[in-house]
Amino acid sequence: MRMIGIKEAVQAALCFAQELYGLQDAERLTLEEVEPTDDERFWMVTLGIPAAVQPVELIARRTGAERYKVFKVDAETGQVLSMKMRQAA
């Protein structure tokens, strides 16, 4: 069974975010954190997304300079399984 590496996991999260937010490129997104889960079945990829960027089909009601999203990427397939808000510390 082949597992994807850290670069592939980050690329999967970036591509998912670009498509969701309707971005032409990923230069407005910032990579904040990447770590495998304890069982190494998933990669948790945290991206910084400017508040001005909104999902294509949704209207955000939040304010602030940047939001953080955590993308759960399957370490075997590279598929993004979920996206969650992350509170900045």
Side-chain angles (χ1 to χ4, degrees):
M1 168 171 50
R2 181 186 175 279
M3 304 304 271
I4 66 167
I6 193 169
K7 289 181 182 179
E8 293 167 299
V10 169
Q11 188 62 38
L14 286 169
C15 288
F16 184 88
Q18 280 179 256
E19 186 176 319
L20 179 66
Y21 288 93
L23 301 173
Q24 296 300 316
D25 55 51
E27 68 183 50
R28 295 184 69 190
L29 304 174
T30 57
L31 177 61
E32 302 296 332
E33 296 177 343
V34 182
E35 66 179 343
T37 55
D38 290 339
D39 61 9
E40 297 185 352
R41 293 180 53 217
F42 306 99
W43 286 101
M44 305 306 285
V45 180
T46 302
L47 300 177
I49 302 171
V53 175
Q54 299 176 9
V56 176
E57 298 175 6
L58 301 175
I59 298 174
R61 291 181 171 83
R62 303 182 66 89
T63 60
E66 191 165 43
R67 297 171 290 173
Y68 298 96
K69 303 284 186 172
V70 179
F71 297 83
K72 183 177 183 179
V73 180
D74 186 296
E76 185 177 341
T77 66
Q79 179 181 5
V80 176
L81 301 174
S82 68
M83 178 183 78
K84 294 183 179 182
M85 287 291 300
R86 173 159 183 247
Q87 299 300 322

